[in-house]
Every structure is written in C-alpha cells, then in structure tokens.
Amino acid sequence: MTQVRNYKEAGFATLLEELEWRGLVNQSTDRQQLAAALNGNPLTFYAGFDPTAASLHIGNLVQLVVMRHLQEAGHHPIALVGGATGLIGDPRQSGERTLNSKSVVEAWARRLQAQISRFLVTDGSNPVRFVSNYDWTASMSVIDFLRDVGKNFRLGTMLSKDIVARRLNSQEGISFAEFSYQVLQGNDYLHLYDECGVTLQIGGADQWGNLVSGLDLIRKVRGVQVNVMTSPIITDSQGKKFGKSEGGAIWLDASMLSPYRFYQFWFNQPDDQVIKLLKYFTFLPKEEIERLEIEVESHPGAREAQRTLAWEVTSFVHGQDAAQEAIDAAAALFGRGQVSLEDIDQSVLEAALDGLKVSGQTGQKEFAQARVGMRITQAAVAAGLVKSQSEARKTIASGGIYINNKRVEDVEQELEQSDFLHNRFALLRRGKKALGAVEAQH
C-alpha cells in the first residue's frame, strides 16, 4: 500500500487548500462551509463507481486519489459500487449505453470492489466501507420510487442539467431510463445520509448535475445542508479527454492493460503536461513537485519528471515490483541496465514488444513470423527494420544489426533456437534506437 502524507505533513493549512493547489477541485458547494467541514471533526463521504466495464480506468483514478487524500486526513470513506445504477448507466454525450445483464454487472461489481481495495486503506481504525445501491433500490416498487423519491424532483430542473440538455438536442435523444439516473443517484445520497451519516459526495465534473440532485433532495426532505465536490475532467494538451488513446481507455486492470504499457503511457507525457499530472495523480509533496518543475525547464532531456510520474502512478496502481519490472524491461530492450533480456518475465517481455508488431497479411498488426534456420537478413526485413536483404547485409557489414542486443557479425548468420527468448521472441535492433521483433513460427 502506497504511503500517503496528509495535508498537515505536506505543509498545507487545510485539506481543501492542498486539493485546490493540486487542481483537484473543480466545483463545490459553498467553499467556506466545505473548508470548515473538511477541517472539522471527521466526516463521512462517498464516491460512486458504476460497474459499466470490467475495470476502472484513469478517469476513475482521480476520484480514488481524492478519496485517499480525504481518508489520510481522518475522514471516513464509503465506496459505492453501483449494482443498481450500473444496470442503467449514467447518460453519456455519445448516446445510449448498451445495457448489460444482471450477472455481468454483478461480476464487474466484484472486480471493481477488489480494485478499489488496492487504493484505499481497508483495515485499522478508519477503513473504507463498501456498499451497493442495489441493496436498497431493488426492493423498491415503481410506485414507492415515484411517490417517495420522484415527487421531490422537478422536471424543469432535470431537463436543464447539461448532459440531459445536450442529449435532448442530439439526434439520438435520451431514454427515460438514462434520464432517471439523476433521481437514482439522488436517492443514494439520501439513503447514505440517513443510514451512514454521509455529508459529502465527490465525483467528476461531468457528474455535477447528479451530485446536486442528491444535495437538493436531502435539503427538501430532511431540511439539512450537505456538501458536494467535483474534480475536473482532465484533458491533454489538445483538449481531448486524458487517457482516451487510439487503443482504448487506460485501464487499471493489469489483464486489460499491462503494467509495462501503463508505465510507458505516463513516461511519454509531454513536458507541458507532466507537472499538472504530478499534482493530480501523485502524493509527492509540494516542494518536490516544484523542484521537478524547475528540472523540466532547465534539463528537459533528462525527463526526470516523467520518470518520477511513471514510477509513482504505476507503483500506486500496480505495486513497486511491477513498476520496477517495467523499468527493467525498457532498459533491457536497448541493452542497458542490470537486467538482461533473458531475465525478463515472458508476459512483461510480450507487453514490451507489443509496439513492434507489423502489418500482417490480414492487415492486422501482428508479430513478424520467423523460424530456426532463417537468415537474420530475412528476419530484419520481416520485422520492418530494413526494406531489403541487400540493405540488411550492408547494415550488418557496418556493424549496425543486433540480435537480442548482440551484434551480428556474419551476413549469412541464421536464427538458432537459443535466439528465441522464452522460445517465442527474438529482438532485432538496427543502430541504437530502431527496434523490431520476430516470433517463432510453430
């Protein structure tokens, strides 16, 4: 479990001050009231995570980081895994969600709870508590829901919510099921206020309308003022939603995105984004982040800030061992570091080589195929390092081709069984930087 310093150890006067310095507060109820609540006696707060996929992604990681900050300050966290709302899904800008079966949602809910457990303290005097809104929603009849909850919501207010308004003006419109999501979420806040004393709900900026629904409901039916707070939707330098790569979301599940690729995602962040990301996603103290900001400006080529970002976030999500394996694998690809290619775990090696796939006969990206007895000149062509065998021979003659980081001396050299790491992959390199890989043909 990653060690986290609370705001006092980090040198901030209040918790809200640190969250604001890190850029983790986008909107909230009255700031003075929220600051007083966060600086007073420990409060109980919650964040909701709907099981609409088999894993959380880095958009969810923002909320987990905020929850950990609050927990370390002594506040009591509740993680709501939406067994009920996950059957509906909150409205998206891009159109209606595909509804998943109850069994699928239940399985995903279990996976999400296990994931969340890695980021928050689960034992001791202030452990995270897990709840599912299915437990109090499934037993409600339609009449009960409409009379006890629905009567407190005004249609004009519901229609004015940003996401609802955008969907209403789109070609696809919005279904009654997704339109009702804000009522379901509002009812969750009311239930958790009544049963657990929850007085703060957190979420992403795109959830503001849903969060306010719960706040308004509690004020109407209980006459009490509670708080909500959102974190910004993080975007990249082009203004696109951060973490939405061409290959899909940046998942937190190692089986859906390897720790190696996860590490490389963070390491490859540009200089103009890295300090912002260090504030959002790490628990490094202010003075250390400010030092790294100076390093970015004075020695950008060293990429110390990116290296720190990748280490901190990968360690938080996957553990220090996985982070170190990712570092070792990246170094071994180019013959650097203390770990050889032969010592890299097969799954880590496969993930590291994934970017070396070439277009196959089907048009899909795949590893170039090779066999024992194939000339390395042929393998170099297949891996896309050179355009022809004659070019490969010239490059070998000048000392520029390597097999598993060992220079190829003979233009007639053939692949041997020992060249295939884990009996699967052979790494080819041209010069210092150009990499290719071939896979054993079986």
Side-chain angles (χ1 to χ4, degrees):
M1 176 70 71
T2 297
Q3 294 298 310
V4 181
R5 303 196 320 171
N6 66 39
Y7 70 94
K8 295 177 182 176
E9 296 171 311
F12 291 92
T14 67
L15 174 58
L16 187 58
E17 181 183 327
E18 178 175 8
L19 296 177
E20 289 175 334
W21 176 80
R22 291 182 179 275
L24 289 170
V25 180
N26 183 69
Q27 293 169 289
S28 73
T29 39
D30 181 79
R31 186 191 182 282
Q32 187 174 354
Q33 176 185 318
L34 178 61
L38 290 176
N39 244 38
N41 294 326
L43 57 80
T44 302
F45 69 96
Y46 92 97
F49 302 88
D50 278 344
T52 52
S55 171
L56 300 173
H57 52 73
I58 61 172
N60 305 119
L61 187 58
V62 179
Q63 299 313 314
L64 293 168
V65 168
V66 173
M67 291 183 77
R68 188 66 185 275
H69 277 295
L70 294 174
Q71 186 181 35
E72 291 296 328
H75 300 298
H76 308 309
I78 292 178
L80 184 155
V81 180
T85 44
L87 291 167
I88 304 298
D90 60 320
R92 299 183 303 175
Q93 295 187 31
S94 55
E96 288 286 319
R97 291 180 181 273
T98 300
L99 298 183
N100 297 296
S101 68
K102 183 180 176 183
S103 61
V104 168
V105 172
E106 286 177 346
W108 286 353
R110 289 192 294 272
R111 287 175 62 120
L112 263 56
Q113 180 170 329
Q115 277 191 323
I116 294 167
S117 297
R118 302 204 310 264
F119 305 108
L120 300 170
V121 178
T122 58
D123 53 16
S125 61
N126 187 28
V128 61
R129 283 185 285 171
F130 288 94
V131 296
S132 170
N133 51 20
Y134 191 81
D135 293 341
W136 58 82
T137 304
S139 60
M140 298 181 72
S141 70
V142 174
I143 297 300
D144 290 340
F145 179 71
L146 292 175
R147 283 177 58 88
D148 297 340
V149 183
K151 69 178 181 181
N152 296 293
F153 286 79
R154 293 294 171 264
L155 198 59
T157 303
M158 295 175 69
L159 289 169
S160 68
K161 299 293 170 62
D162 288 344
I163 186 63
V164 173
R166 282 196 293 269
R167 284 286 296 279
L168 282 172
N169 292 323
S170 70
Q171 250 186 337
E172 295 175 340
I174 186 171
S175 70
F176 178 74
E178 288 195 0
F179 177 66
S180 301
Y181 184 92
Q182 58 185 292
V183 182
L184 290 170
Q185 187 165 329
N187 185 54
D188 290 342
Y189 200 170
L190 174 62
H191 176 88
L192 292 175
Y193 170 79
D194 287 341
E195 298 298 320
C196 306
V198 171
T199 56
L200 171 65
Q201 182 184 181
I202 66 171
D206 55 351
Q207 287 286 307
W208 175 255
N210 294 331
L211 271 63
V212 171
S213 294
L215 178 147
D216 290 341
L217 179 61
I218 292 170
R219 187 179 65 246
K220 285 180 182 178
V221 302
R222 299 290 181 264
V224 174
Q225 180 64 45
V226 293
N227 290 293
V228 298
M229 181 178 74
T230 66
S231 300
I233 301 302
I234 300 173
T235 57
D236 61 21
S237 53
Q238 280 75 48
K240 296 179 181 178
K241 202 169 185 178
F242 182 68
K244 293 291 185 181
S245 67
E246 291 182 5
I250 305 300
W251 301 107
L252 305 187
D253 189 310
S255 67
M256 297 173 67
L257 185 78
S258 71
Y260 176 87
R261 291 179 62 191
F262 188 84
Y263 180 95
Q264 291 299 317
F265 169 80
W266 297 99
F267 182 73
N268 290 325
Q269 293 305 311
D271 289 345
D272 62 355
Q273 296 291 301
V274 66
I275 299 303
K276 176 181 77 171
L277 298 175
L278 281 165
K279 291 179 179 180
Y280 284 146
F281 290 103
T282 80
F283 300 92
L284 292 173
K286 181 180 179 182
E287 59 268 23
E288 175 63 7
I289 293 177
E290 289 175 342
R291 184 191 70 79
L292 288 167
E293 187 171 15
I294 295 172
E295 284 297 308
V296 170
E297 296 172 356
S298 56
H299 303 100
R303 297 185 68 78
E304 183 184 359
Q306 283 86 347
R307 207 178 324 276
T308 303
L309 174 67
W311 169 262
E312 291 291 331
V313 183
T314 307
S315 296
F316 185 52
V317 174
H318 295 295
Q320 291 188 0
D321 289 346
Q324 190 59 54
E325 283 184 344
I327 294 171
D328 291 342
L333 291 184
F334 296 94
R336 300 192 293 265
Q338 303 300 312
V339 179
S340 68
L341 282 170
E342 290 78 8
D343 294 329
I344 299 298
D345 180 81
Q346 181 175 345
S347 62
V348 177
L349 180 64
E350 184 172 3
L353 298 180
D354 185 69
L356 305 182
K357 291 179 178 178
V358 295
S359 295
Q361 294 181 352
T362 63
Q364 299 295 317
K365 289 281 188 179
E366 57 189 34
F367 288 111
Q369 298 294 295
R371 65 186 185 281
V372 173
M374 175 186 280
R375 286 181 178 173
I376 289 180
T377 53
Q378 293 175 284
V381 174
L385 285 180
V386 291
K387 294 181 179 179
S388 65
Q389 288 193 62
S390 61
E391 183 182 353
R393 292 189 187 94
K394 291 177 182 177
T395 309
I396 289 173
S398 63
I401 295 286
Y402 298 79
I403 177 88
N404 297 335
N405 292 321
K406 299 171 185 175
R407 179 176 286 146
V408 178
E409 305 287 354
D410 183 359
V411 296
E412 303 299 329
Q413 185 173 327
E414 298 177 347
L415 287 171
E416 299 177 359
Q417 187 62 50
S418 60
D419 290 324
F420 290 96
L421 304 165
H422 300 291
N423 293 317
R424 282 195 64 192
F425 301 110
L427 178 69
L428 295 158
R429 175 160 53 90
R430 179 180 183 179
K432 294 182 178 180
K433 296 182 178 180
L435 293 175
V438 292
E439 184 177 20
Q441 194 174 42
H442 296 295

